[in-house]
Each structure stands twice: as structure tokens, then as C-alpha cells.
Amino acid sequence: MNAPTLDELAIDPERYELLDALFNAEATRRDFFRIAGAGVIVALFLETEVVAQPKGGPVPREIGAWIHIGEDNAITVYSGKVEIGQNIRTSLAQVVAEELHSPVKSIRMVMADTAMVPFDAGTFGSRTTPAMMPQLRRAAAAAREVLLDLAAGKGKTERDKLTVADGKVAGPDGKPSFTFGQLTKGQKVMKVIPATVATTPANKWTVVGTSVPKVDGRAFVTGTHQYGSDVRRKGMLFGKVLRAPAFGAKLTSVDVKAAEAKPGLTVVRTGDFVGVVGPTEYEAMKGLALVKAEWANPPKQVGAKELFKHLKETGRAGKGGFGGGGVAQGSIEMGIKAADKTVKETYTLAYIAHVPLEPRVAVAEWEGDKVTVWTGTQRPFGVRGDVANALGVTQDKVRVIVPDMGSGYGGKHNVDAAIEAARLAKATGKPVRVAFTREEEFTWAYFRPAAVIEVNAGAKKDGTLTAWEFANYNAGGSGLRMPYAVANVKTNTYSSQTPLRQGAYRALASTGNNFARESVMDELAHAIGMDPLEFRFKNLKDARLKAVLEAAAKQFGWGKKPDAGRGFGLACGTEKGSFVATCAEIAFDKAKKDVRVIRAVTAFECGAILNPDHLKNQVEGCVMMGLGGALFEQIDFADGKILNPDFANYPLPRFRDTPILETVLLDRKDLDSAGAGETPIIGIAPAVGNAIFAATGVRLRSMPMIPNGLEVK
Amino acid sequence: MPPVKELHVNGAARPVDADPARMLLSVLRDDLGLTGAKYGCGEAHCGACTVLLDGRAVRSCTTRVESAAGKKVSTIEGLAVGEKLHAIQEAYIAVGAMQCGYCIPGMIMSALALLTKNPEPTRDEII
Ligand code: FES
């Protein structure tokens, strides 16, 4: 494959949710029963009005999810979402179990197989809980009503005397009593429902809202859980692909004779794509080493050293901020004049990698003119389109199956391995597996956008914020919105030329924007001599944000004095309908120039909690992941080369970096559940930065903050 | 160098036919179908590929298969006895210590090696 050009590199980091066209196949009732077998099917129609459907005719295009109840009592949920470690196999099953009054273990989730599930744009943006969960609740509630109808007919009983419990429909005193399978046997009932069916309110939940253990726990600990990298097909071969020595380098000549001469190896070449296929990965790798390729010198490219200057110089004003949040109100000039203290500073954010522990991997197998690809991606239908385009076939010839993934973090929207495997499989006529090495994953995936953030702010001695001017170059508008009340405010985003391929990352730009905002709030608080917590409360209007801040401060014991060499810091933020506050304690060892994060307390609120234990996992995972970007993760690059594409040179948080983690969850049963996989990451970096300032008097304005430790004179 | 013809894995002799320079991880996963150990980095850093060689934890991604010949290889697949899980596996489930689960087999095998040597390690010994 050729190295991407600069234009191709410029994936707008926050427009990815708009990439996909709608489901392009007309499913019919027969299709559903062919996939699922006889029984009862409830499909959720996303539009609010149900259009009368001709019997056996096409079902509406906008199906969000569907549930099948078979003759064997099995309840099967079909959804386009993917499992990346957020454990939605469990939380979505809980939701269905709740409405169908059935055990969680009786529910099977069929996920992300483009031949089996309705179209889904992808698993990202914390959308599964607020969007998919209500759909499944409604579909399951409607399925329960169908079962009641069937039981009333079959048992010749009054419908309102029947109850559904423990996977059965029964009358008073248990008579009559039918299992779900007895009711659905021989049936081909299909019900298409609108998105408005009534469901069980949160305060009546018995399954949702409890810490149901992960449904795949046993498979995880026995090593039997099947990830994309574990897919093995009969006669499967292994492929390796020739990579350019630098981004933008053009292949000028290639000699594959030596590789071709090796028995068992096939060399595939189309244009600039060169791949070697062999019976083992080792042989394919050795074969690839025999390929002699000449590359034209790549164009001169911006490196890490010139990065921030470059982002600033190439920045063009977004139309109100391409991630939203661009506003202008009042006058910054007046606000600054009215202030007793002002802060005018530039913050920066390095490129970082997602580092999912499972690198990109795909297995492709052709049958006639159709190809099936098993791969880990957050956009199964998107990758189906990518493979179809690359191979010159229509999308109906491509089936993408997404086994559960060894994580993604927003980093698996595109999967070049899927296209490469499909090419190599086509050329060899055998199933082919392409697995990225860690170095390939570091180099040929995409990065979290780097950023320059400029802030100009002022406050009065009494704590009133008077001016807030905030601009983000390159990373986007998530978290740009000012949660504090201020009369004069101007926020904006600028899109810059990015020297590296960049894209979505857990919580998008809000990590960087929150880091800059919460650090500047701390700077202002110190400038006017006010406690940082008090300063925030003085300017906060949002009751939900106040509540998490209060909860975190209380648990942490904010207000007490740190021991010598220690420092306390706090930060808060809101994004995607959820709210976080983090307090951190750090220890500074001046002689060793070392900063350790000792303790991190995070309070989090995302509406009604679906599964407290899993939610805690998400919060803790976010804090640990956020620590890496806060302290030491950064991509080093120059002239189109990644200079630290391995774990030896790209440090990640280890066990030894783990602080004492405390999590306070605020359960708001009165509010809709929001997603929780992203927002808890945004509090840790500023909390740690503010704690470092408290301990050392040094203000760190770049993420990562201490890639080489901290020297204080 | 002659190919490696046999490995002792989880208490049984398993015939293989592997180039001695290949890594143990690849032979376990690709030739023997034991996919519990995972590839995470290939550079002995992450530990997702950890298995035991004669009871000692090794990174199988950088262990040549020839150095495993004649030794006892233990992988996650051999840890449970029938349906009965090992205490470490039980513990991971009990506290839900997993998210995507990808690294868990490596973590459990590392924990097994540590606890066999040192049943009551301190926090410092663990990290
Ligand atoms: S795969 Fe990471 S240590 Fe072996």
C-alpha cells in the first residue's frame, strides 16, 4: 500500500459520526426468519410513526435493533454495536432481561455482523447507552406484550391475569404456565414497533442498575474468549505487507524475485501494494525481508520539534468550531479591563497513540465473488464499505464480522488490515490473515490530534470571572464550552494542517480543552488568592457539575494541608451528558526529579446507573488511561517517520504508576442514562497538573507534563 | 537447524513441526490452536503473551520455540481442572478485574508464577 498523501491524512477528528450512509439493503420479513429461525421477532422501527406493512413485504429501513425469541426459549438480540471492553454484552443484556423478566444468562447478543444485524454507524461517542439502550428496552417491552397476547390466546385466559416472570408467562396460581419457547413454537410473528413504546421506569428496575457480573468473565479467565486475532480458518495463510519507510514516500522500483523463488510463498503486487503470503507469519515476514524496494525521498515534513508553531501558523478559523462550542458574547477587552488579575497563556497537547493492546488484525476469505472479513473495528458497516471500494465490488458482496476486540479507544474506525487481507486472500484463493505488529499499529493507524490552546482570562479579587477567551488549534471543539458563568466570553476552534494522520480518541478534544481550562482556573484562583474549590463554586451554575465537585472534594478531604513534598489539585468538567470531578494528590521527589501520583478520587454522574461495578471499571480505566497522556505519552516524529513506535520508547502507565483510585458514583434514577466510557478521562490531567503546582510552584502547560521527570531549581 | 518436532504443553506431548527460530507464542497460537496467550507488543514489554516454562514466567513473543523444547510449557488453557477454575481465575471473576479481557490470560499466568514462588507478595513485589 502506498503511504497516504497529506490530504488523505487530514481526517477531520470530529466529523466521523457523519461518515456513513444508511443501510442499503431492503430487509424483508423472510430475511429475518432466515437468519433467526421460527419464533417471535420484534424489530424496532426508529421512526415514531408505524406505517402499515404489507404482509411479508419489506420492513422499514430504519431498524435500530431486533430481538428474536425462539422455540428453544433463547432470546437473541441483534445489534450493530461492537464489544470493545466496555462490556455492553452485559449491560445491554441486562436491559433486555429487565423488560422480558428473564435471567441475563438466557440472552444471547449477536453483535456487529453486517449480514445479521441492522445498520449501525459505529460504536463511539458514548452513544451506545443513550441511543441503543432505550431502543432495546422498547423492543424487549414490546416482545413481552406479544408473549402475553400469545399466552392469552393459547391458554384461553384473560390477558390481564397473566404475568411474565423468570422466562415464563403464567396465570394466577401458575396456571396456565408457558415457557417462552412453548409460546413461540411454530410461530412466525413479526412485530415492527415505533420508538415510543412504554418501558419500566428506572425506580422500578431490578436487573438494570445492579452489578451483574460480566457475561464473558469465565471465557476471559480461561483464555477461550475469541477475539479477532484468534480467528483461524481452514487452510488459512499469513500475509505481511510492504510499508513505506516514511509517510509520503513513493515506491520507485521493487524486485520480488528472491521472495517469489522461496517455496510456499506468494508475492502479490498491485500498483504500490506489495504483500507476501506464506504458511506461517514467520515465513511471510522472512519473505517480505527479501523484497528489494526503492523509495523516492519523501517530501520534507514537519516534525515534533516544529509542530506547535506549524499548527498555529496553518490554523484557519472554524465555522463556529467544527466540534461546536464556538461562541462570542460581550467584550473580552472590557472583561480584561475589569479584572484584578489576568492570565494569558498557551497550552499544548502532543500527538498520542491509542495503543489498544490488540493491534489491528483481519482474516479474509473469499467464496466466489463474495468475501467475509473478520476484523476488529468500531465501524463494521464503514469497513464493509471501505473493503468494497478497495476491492471494486459492491457492498452486498462484503460481509464484515467483528469479534470482540482487545480494546479500541476511538482508534479503530478504519482498518487497513481488512483491506489488505481481502486483497491477499483474493490473489491466493485462500483465507489470509494480516496482523499488524505493534510498530505497524503505532505507525499506520492514526493519532489523537495534537493541539495549541490559547487562553486569555481574567477575574476579580472577589472571585468573579470577567473574561474568557479560548482558542483550540487543530484538536476540535469538544469540551470547548465554558461551564462557568462569565459575561465576556469568546471560544473558537481553528483547523490546522496536520503532519500526522489524526482521528477520534476517547473523549476527543475535551481532554486537552479541559486540561487548559481547569489549569487556567487554577492559575486564576492562585492569582487572586482564593481556594480553587471556592473559586469554582463561585462561578459554577450547573447543579450536576457542582454535585460531582462537592462529592469528590468531600471524599478526598479537600481543605486539609498536604504533607511536605505533597500537593493537592482538583478539576471538573462535563461532556456528552455526563459530569466528572477529580481530586489528585502527588508526591514530588526533588532529588530524583520524580513526580508520583499517590491518590486520585473521581466523582462521576451519568444519569441512572446501569451497572455500578462496570461503571466503576470505566471510571478507573479512564483515570489510568488519562494518566499516560497527562504525564508521559507522546509521539515523537520527524520527516514522516515515527521515532518511538514501540513500548520501550513509548511509555504507558504501568502497575507501578497506579495511584490509589477512589470512585464516587452519583446515581440519578430520575435522569436518562448517558454514556460513561469517555468523560471520566478529562479530569485527571488538570487535577494532577494543579497538584504539581501546589507542591512545587511550577505550572506545567503541556501534555504530557513530565515526560522527562521534573527539575525544580 | 532441525525443526522442533515436539512440545510438552499442559501435561501432554504435542507434535509440531516448527522452524526453531520461530517464537513460542506463534507456535502455540498458530500451530497448536492455543490462542489464550496474546500478542500485544512482540518486544517482551506488555506481558499479554506470558506462559510458564518449567514453572517460570516467560514472554513467549520473544522466546524461540527451540528453547521451549524439552521443557514443560504451561498456558492459560491448562490452568482450570475440568470445570474447576484455579483460585486466581476465581479471584479475577470475583472482583471483575477485566474490561476487554485481552491481557487477562497473561496477567493470570504472571500472577501464578509470582504466587507459586512467593505466596504473600508485598505491593512492591507485585508491581
Ligand atoms: S506480546 Fe507483549 S510481552 Fe510478549
Side-chain angles (χ1 to χ4, degrees), chain B residues 65-78:
Chain B
V65 64
E66 63 182 344
S67 65
K71 298 205 173 103
K72 288 198 185 85
V73 183
S74 313
T75 74
I76 189 78
E77 286 88 351

PDB file of all heavy atoms in Angstrom, chain B residues 65-78:
ATOM      1  N   VAL B  65      11.127 -21.001  19.940  1.00  0.00           N
ATOM      2  CA  VAL B  65      10.461 -22.261  20.261  1.00  0.00           C
ATOM      3  C   VAL B  65      11.486 -23.335  20.597  1.00  0.00           C
ATOM      4  O   VAL B  65      11.231 -24.230  21.397  1.00  0.00           O
ATOM      5  CB  VAL B  65       9.500 -22.693  19.110  1.00  0.00           C
ATOM      6  CG1 VAL B  65      10.244 -22.990  17.834  1.00  0.00           C
ATOM      7  CG2 VAL B  65       8.642 -23.884  19.534  1.00  0.00           C
ATOM      8  N   GLU B  66      12.693 -23.245  20.034  1.00  0.00           N
ATOM      9  CA  GLU B  66      13.711 -24.264  20.331  1.00  0.00           C
ATOM     10  C   GLU B  66      14.078 -24.261  21.813  1.00  0.00           C
ATOM     11  O   GLU B  66      14.411 -25.304  22.368  1.00  0.00           O
ATOM     12  CB  GLU B  66      14.961 -24.054  19.478  1.00  0.00           C
ATOM     13  CG  GLU B  66      15.658 -22.735  19.760  1.00  0.00           C
ATOM     14  CD  GLU B  66      16.870 -22.508  18.864  1.00  0.00           C
ATOM     15  OE1 GLU B  66      17.350 -23.470  18.245  1.00  0.00           O
ATOM     16  OE2 GLU B  66      17.313 -21.345  18.789  1.00  0.00           O
ATOM     17  N   SER B  67      13.981 -23.089  22.449  1.00  0.00           N
ATOM     18  CA  SER B  67      14.344 -23.062  23.866  1.00  0.00           C
ATOM     19  C   SER B  67      13.230 -23.619  24.749  1.00  0.00           C
ATOM     20  O   SER B  67      13.420 -23.805  25.948  1.00  0.00           O
ATOM     21  CB  SER B  67      14.735 -21.648  24.298  1.00  0.00           C
ATOM     22  OG  SER B  67      13.614 -20.806  24.207  1.00  0.00           O
ATOM     23  N   ALA B  68      12.069 -23.879  24.161  1.00  0.00           N
ATOM     24  CA  ALA B  68      10.975 -24.495  24.925  1.00  0.00           C
ATOM     25  C   ALA B  68      10.964 -26.008  24.759  1.00  0.00           C
ATOM     26  O   ALA B  68      10.302 -26.719  25.521  1.00  0.00           O
ATOM     27  CB  ALA B  68       9.637 -23.917  24.484  1.00  0.00           C
ATOM     28  N   ALA B  69      11.697 -26.486  23.781  1.00  0.00           N
ATOM     29  CA  ALA B  69      11.704 -27.933  23.530  1.00  0.00           C
ATOM     30  C   ALA B  69      12.273 -28.648  24.749  1.00  0.00           C
ATOM     31  O   ALA B  69      13.273 -28.219  25.314  1.00  0.00           O
ATOM     32  CB  ALA B  69      12.535 -28.237  22.281  1.00  0.00           C
ATOM     33  N   GLY B  70      11.605 -29.705  25.167  1.00  0.00           N
ATOM     34  CA  GLY B  70      12.078 -30.481  26.309  1.00  0.00           C
ATOM     35  C   GLY B  70      11.688 -29.883  27.655  1.00  0.00           C
ATOM     36  O   GLY B  70      11.938 -30.475  28.695  1.00  0.00           O
ATOM     37  N   LYS B  71      11.076 -28.687  27.630  1.00  0.00           N
ATOM     38  CA  LYS B  71      10.627 -28.105  28.903  1.00  0.00           C
ATOM     39  C   LYS B  71       9.105 -28.226  29.013  1.00  0.00           C
ATOM     40  O   LYS B  71       8.421 -28.470  28.023  1.00  0.00           O
ATOM     41  CB  LYS B  71      11.008 -26.622  28.952  1.00  0.00           C
ATOM     42  CG  LYS B  71      12.515 -26.382  28.887  1.00  0.00           C
ATOM     43  CD  LYS B  71      12.865 -25.048  29.533  1.00  0.00           C
ATOM     44  CE  LYS B  71      14.360 -24.881  29.637  1.00  0.00           C
ATOM     45  NZ  LYS B  71      14.888 -23.972  28.614  1.00  0.00           N
ATOM     46  N   LYS B  72       8.629 -28.008  30.238  1.00  0.00           N
ATOM     47  CA  LYS B  72       7.174 -28.049  30.437  1.00  0.00           C
ATOM     48  C   LYS B  72       6.591 -26.666  30.161  1.00  0.00           C
ATOM     49  O   LYS B  72       6.914 -25.702  30.843  1.00  0.00           O
ATOM     50  CB  LYS B  72       6.857 -28.432  31.882  1.00  0.00           C
ATOM     51  CG  LYS B  72       7.140 -29.872  32.218  1.00  0.00           C
ATOM     52  CD  LYS B  72       6.381 -30.249  33.499  1.00  0.00           C
ATOM     53  CE  LYS B  72       6.745 -31.649  33.937  1.00  0.00           C
ATOM     54  NZ  LYS B  72       7.998 -31.683  34.760  1.00  0.00           N
ATOM     55  N   VAL B  73       5.720 -26.619  29.165  1.00  0.00           N
ATOM     56  CA  VAL B  73       5.061 -25.356  28.834  1.00  0.00           C
ATOM     57  C   VAL B  73       3.681 -25.356  29.477  1.00  0.00           C
ATOM     58  O   VAL B  73       2.919 -26.315  29.311  1.00  0.00           O
ATOM     59  CB  VAL B  73       4.896 -25.193  27.301  1.00  0.00           C
ATOM     60  CG1 VAL B  73       4.285 -23.836  26.970  1.00  0.00           C
ATOM     61  CG2 VAL B  73       6.221 -25.389  26.582  1.00  0.00           C
ATOM     62  N   SER B  74       3.358 -24.303  30.251  1.00  0.00           N
ATOM     63  CA  SER B  74       2.003 -24.194  30.815  1.00  0.00           C
ATOM     64  C   SER B  74       1.345 -22.943  30.270  1.00  0.00           C
ATOM     65  O   SER B  74       1.913 -21.855  30.344  1.00  0.00           O
ATOM     66  CB  SER B  74       2.039 -24.090  32.335  1.00  0.00           C
ATOM     67  OG  SER B  74       2.905 -25.058  32.870  1.00  0.00           O
ATOM     68  N   THR B  75       0.143 -23.116  29.738  1.00  0.00           N
ATOM     69  CA  THR B  75      -0.603 -21.975  29.219  1.00  0.00           C
ATOM     70  C   THR B  75      -1.915 -21.845  29.978  1.00  0.00           C
ATOM     71  O   THR B  75      -2.305 -22.744  30.732  1.00  0.00           O
ATOM     72  CB  THR B  75      -0.921 -22.141  27.719  1.00  0.00           C
ATOM     73  OG1 THR B  75      -1.956 -23.120  27.577  1.00  0.00           O
ATOM     74  CG2 THR B  75       0.310 -22.580  26.931  1.00  0.00           C
ATOM     75  N   ILE B  76      -2.593 -20.756  29.765  1.00  0.00           N
ATOM     76  CA  ILE B  76      -3.861 -20.490  30.462  1.00  0.00           C
ATOM     77  C   ILE B  76      -4.866 -21.629  30.238  1.00  0.00           C
ATOM     78  O   ILE B  76      -5.660 -21.946  31.116  1.00  0.00           O
ATOM     79  CB  ILE B  76      -4.446 -19.129  29.997  1.00  0.00           C
ATOM     80  CG1 ILE B  76      -5.648 -18.707  30.843  1.00  0.00           C
ATOM     81  CG2 ILE B  76      -4.869 -19.153  28.534  1.00  0.00           C
ATOM     82  CD1 ILE B  76      -5.289 -18.150  32.173  1.00  0.00           C
ATOM     83  N   GLU B  77      -4.792 -22.264  29.069  1.00  0.00           N
ATOM     84  CA  GLU B  77      -5.765 -23.320  28.749  1.00  0.00           C
ATOM     85  C   GLU B  77      -5.641 -24.517  29.692  1.00  0.00           C
ATOM     86  O   GLU B  77      -6.585 -25.289  29.835  1.00  0.00           O
ATOM     87  CB  GLU B  77      -5.587 -23.799  27.304  1.00  0.00           C
ATOM     88  CG  GLU B  77      -6.084 -22.824  26.242  1.00  0.00           C
ATOM     89  CD  GLU B  77      -5.032 -21.801  25.802  1.00  0.00           C
ATOM     90  OE1 GLU B  77      -3.962 -21.731  26.447  1.00  0.00           O
ATOM     91  OE2 GLU B  77      -5.288 -21.082  24.818  1.00  0.00           O
ATOM     92  N   GLY B  78      -4.455 -24.670  30.315  1.00  0.00           N
ATOM     93  CA  GLY B  78      -4.254 -25.830  31.177  1.00  0.00           C
ATOM     94  C   GLY B  78      -4.472 -25.543  32.649  1.00  0.00           C
ATOM     95  O   GLY B  78      -4.255 -26.403  33.497  1.00  0.00           O
TER      96      GLY B  78
END
